Structures are given as C-alpha cells and as structure tokens.
Amino acid sequence: MRKEMKSGIVKTMFSALLYGFTPSICALTYAMGNNHTSMTFFRNFFAVPVLLGLVAWKKISLRIDFGTFLKIFLVANLGAFITTLLLYSSYSYISVGMATTIHFLYPLLVVIFSFCFYGDKITKRKWRSIGLAGIGIICFLLNSRMGETKGVMLAFGSSITFALYMMLLDKLKLSELDGSKLMFYASLITAAEMYLLNFKTHALIFKQSWEALGLMLLVSFLASVVANLFLKEGVHILGSTMASFVSLLEPISSILFGVLLLNETVSGIQIAGCIAIIMSIMNLIGFSKRVSA
C-alpha cells in the first residue's frame, strides 16, 4: 500500500472520529435552549475567522474565478448548509445514534450516484463492501426504535445531500483546492445564508449561555475546521467512493464516545454491526497498492 494512500486513510478515519464525537455535544446544547438552526449557523460562523487565519498564515490568495465560486457555492449548500441542517433537525425527533446511522447510508449512495451520473464502474469488491456496509447499518437500525417518521426522513435526506457533496467534491476537482481556502468560502456562504434566512424564519437564538456558546465553538472547531479539512484531503487522495466507506467509522465512533462519555451500553447486535462495517472498509481497501478499487 502506498504511503500516500495510507495517509488518505488515516486522515479520513480521523475525520470520522471527530464527526462521531460532535453529535452528542450538539444534543447537550439543545438541552440548554439551543436549536438545530442556531447550531448550523454558529458552527459555520465560528469557523470563518479560524479558517481565514489559516489562509493568511499559509499566505494563500483568496482570489477565485466565477466558475470556481459557483462550484463552491453548490457544494457548500449541499454539505455545510443543507446536510447539517437536515441532520441536526433529525435529532429533535429520533436519537442521535439512529440519526447518524441513517445518515451513513451515504457511502452506498455515493457509489450509486457515481455510477448513474458519471458512469463509474461498480466492481465486485465494491459490491461486497456495499453488502457488508448494508448489513452493518441494518444491525444498528434493528437496535434502535424507529421513532417519528419525520426524523427518519430528515436523516435520510441528509445522507442524500452529503452523498452528492462527496461525489461533487471529487468530480468537480474542488478537492484539489487548498482545504482552508475551500472551507473558508463554504463556511462563509453557509453562515451568510443562515443569517439572511433568519429575517424570514426568526429561528436563530443569539442570546445563549456561555456554556452553550463554548460547546458550539468546540463543535465548530472540531467539525467545520479540523474534520472538514482532513476529510477534504482524504477525498483528494482516495477519491469519493473509498473515502466515504472509510468514513463509515463515524457511527462506530459515535457508539464509542457514547460509552465513554455518556455511560451508554453496547448490545451484541451493535458489535455485529461494527464488525460488518470494519470488514466492509477492509474489503474495499484490500491489499491493493492502487488508490481506486
């Protein structure tokens, strides 16, 4: 396995661990009077100055052409805006664990969308990974109560938009841009849209406790800055399909942090689901020295 590929896998795995850690923090802020709209806004708003500082530190120009801006605008709305809003909204109707599991149908959708829109081949190895990942997701779902239909649909909608985001990040060559520059524009666009939308919805909550603001700042740094940058690099090295399957570690990390931080218990069927997902990832990576399966 090439050194570059190993780097891509490690970066994507690290982003999955961070993404798996943040949903529980989001749920804690809801108990403090926060809501999903404010969480989406502050997650991106707090990230803007940090990412701008990274761009300045790297001495990178923020100049982009209009065509690139349109591409960034599209993926920003799919990833940072719509996906985050849908997923955070689902937490109000179903458990965080179940929402995360449904959201992680997106690696299967990346394969399907790439085949339908770009004609990417679905190899036997990918089919095996799809089957194993499907078994893992079913195990998680069997362990959870279905809850409200609205929550399930919101979480599934987030998986569709994030699959499109992952695919277009790769296919539109945006993964070749500097990560801090790309994420700066994505966070800026999302925060601006959320602020303008608030004139109609009045859903943003600006008066919040220092504790809630501190937790949102933590989510912003971990998810919108660190995890997003590592995932972008993973997609650039591995491609959208393999990166999305490696990201299946996120629901596993959600369970892990639930046990460590919230004293949650793990059932046998959850362990079986974790094993199936790990097998799915290992099958896709294989022992090939090539990045693409």
Side-chain angles (χ1 to χ4, degrees):
M1 186 182 293
R2 294 190 316 195
K3 184 177 180 180
E4 184 184 26
M5 183 179 180
K6 288 181 179 178
S7 173
I9 292 171
V10 170
K11 289 177 179 178
T12 306
M13 285 182 171
F14 185 62
S15 73
L17 288 173
L18 292 180
Y19 284 134
F21 175 63
T22 55
S24 295
I25 302 177
C26 294
L28 289 175
T29 69
Y30 294 168
M32 299 175 186
N34 193 21
N35 60 27
H36 55 270
T37 305
S38 299
M39 187 71 245
T40 304
F41 170 76
F42 281 108
R43 168 177 159 170
N44 288 279
F45 177 74
F46 286 147
V48 170
V50 178
L51 292 166
L52 181 60
L54 283 174
V55 171
W57 180 67
K58 294 179 181 179
K59 298 180 180 179
I60 297 171
S61 172
L62 285 173
R63 184 175 298 176
I64 54 174
D65 57 60
F66 185 67
T68 302
F69 174 78
L70 289 179
K71 292 177 182 178
I72 294 176
F73 184 82
L74 175 61
V75 298
N77 275 280
L78 287 171
F81 187 10
I82 301 175
T83 295
T84 307
L85 193 59
L86 289 173
L87 185 59
Y88 287 176
S89 298
S90 70
Y91 297 164
S92 299
Y93 301 96
I94 56 178
S95 68
V96 170
M98 185 176 183
T100 303
T101 302
I102 296 172
H103 172 71
F104 266 81
L105 289 168
Y106 86 78
L108 313 182
L109 298 177
V110 168
V111 175
I112 294 170
F113 290 161
S114 296
F115 171 75
C116 293
F117 298 133
Y118 290 94
D120 289 2
K121 293 182 179 180
I122 305 180
T123 64
K124 290 182 179 179
R125 175 175 288 178
K126 288 180 182 177
W127 276 120
R128 287 195 298 269
S129 288
I130 289 172
L132 288 167
I135 291 172
I137 290 169
I138 289 171
C139 287
F140 288 135
L141 290 177
L142 288 175
N143 190 74
S144 305
R145 297 176 59 184
M146 281 304 293
E148 295 290 338
T149 301
K150 186 175 182 179
V152 173
M153 295 305 297
L154 287 168
F156 181 64
S158 76
S159 72
I160 294 174
T161 55
F162 198 71
L164 292 171
Y165 164 78
M166 288 283 286
M167 180 185 70
L168 293 175
L169 189 65
D170 180 28
K171 302 301 183 182
L172 296 180
K173 307 299 182 183
L174 289 175
S175 60
E176 296 177 1
L177 288 177
D178 176 79
S180 52
K181 179 178 178 177
L182 173 63
M183 295 309 164
F184 165 75
Y185 277 112
S187 294
L188 181 63
I189 289 169
T190 302
E193 287 181 331
M194 293 294 294
Y195 183 76
L196 293 174
L197 186 62
N198 188 59
F199 285 105
K200 182 176 180 62
T201 63
H202 304 288
L204 291 181
I205 303 172
F206 293 104
K207 285 189 176 182
Q208 302 210 37
S209 67
W210 286 108
E211 186 178 4
L213 289 171
L215 289 174
M216 286 192 287
L217 180 61
L218 179 62
V219 170
S220 176
F221 179 72
L222 293 179
S224 291
V225 179
V226 182
N228 277 353
L229 290 176
F230 275 94
L231 179 60
K232 177 264 174 191
E233 289 300 312
V235 172
H236 178 58
I237 296 170
L238 303 175
S240 57
T241 298
M242 182 175 285
S244 65
F245 272 90
V246 176
S247 293
L248 279 167
L249 284 174
E250 183 176 334
I252 297 176
S253 69
S254 293
I255 293 173
L256 175 63
F257 286 118
V259 172
L260 295 176
L261 302 178
L262 305 176
N263 295 318
E264 294 179 350
T265 58
V266 180
S267 68
I269 197 167
Q270 282 180 306
I271 295 174
C274 291
I275 293 173
I277 286 176
I278 292 172
M279 289 176 62
S280 169
I281 296 169
M282 295 306 298
N283 173 74
L284 189 64
I285 295 172
F287 299 97
S288 174
K289 294 183 179 180
R290 299 179 61 186
V291 172
S292 57

